[in-house]
């Protein structure tokens, strides 16, 4: 069973788009964009674990999930870099922290 946490996903709305796809990105607040990779729990109609998300504007999210501009490998690379930027921002903004 995949890990689900709505409060974690809601943090995506507090960050600007981290996908930043040239010619597509409209910037501004993002929404949670789950990984489309099976190694992160994606399978069939099942989304990846909720901890594997990037914050992306609606246009970038749509391009990543439904666009034909990039190969599967390119999309995975775009998402991975965005996920890393997302996690770093969450720590820097203290939206996530180690429990004492």
């Amino acid at each position: 069973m995949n890990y689900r946490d709505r409060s974690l996903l809601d943090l995506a709305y507090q960050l600007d788009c981290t996908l930043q796809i040239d010619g597509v990105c409209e910037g501004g607040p993002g929404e949670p964009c789950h990984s489309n990779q099976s190694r992160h729990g994606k399978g069939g109609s099942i989304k990846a674990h909720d901890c594997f998300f990037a914050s992306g504007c609606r246009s970038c999210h749509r391009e990543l999930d439904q666009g034909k501009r990039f190969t599967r490998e390119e999309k995975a690379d775009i998402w991975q870099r965005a996920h890393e930027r997302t996690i770093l921002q969450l720590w820097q903004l203290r939206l996530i922290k180690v429990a004492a």
Side-chain angles (χ1 to χ4, degrees):
M1 182 172 300
N2 281 6
Y3 175 74
R4 297 288 172 236
D5 187 337
R6 184 72 239 176
S7 61
L8 179 60
L9 293 178
D10 286 345
L11 296 175
Y13 299 103
Q14 297 183 47
L15 306 176
D16 286 339
C17 180
T18 61
L19 290 169
Q20 303 169 351
I21 300 173
D22 288 338
V24 174
C25 189
E26 57 192 40
E31 60 188 25
C33 305
H34 282 84
S35 169
N36 290 323
Q37 301 170 61
S38 60
R39 68 185 180 146
H40 295 138
K42 169 72 173 137
S45 62
I46 305 210
K47 288 188 179 289
H49 296 281
D50 283 351
C51 56
F52 295 112
F53 77 91
S55 179
C57 70
R58 187 153 301 199
S59 294
C60 284
H61 192 180
R62 186 174 29 246
E63 180 65 36
L64 196 68
D65 283 353
Q66 299 159 0
K68 305 290 185 210
R69 184 172 162 187
F70 301 103
T71 66
R72 181 179 298 206
E73 293 77 20
E74 289 170 326
K75 288 179 178 184
D77 186 54
I78 290 166
W79 180 88
Q80 185 64 45
R81 286 180 299 183
H83 175 67
E84 291 167 6
R85 285 191 289 270
T86 297
I87 295 301
L88 179 59
Q89 284 186 40
L90 291 173
W91 283 104
Q92 288 173 329
L93 295 171
R94 300 181 194 272
L95 294 171
I96 57 173
K97 52 187 159 189
V98 176

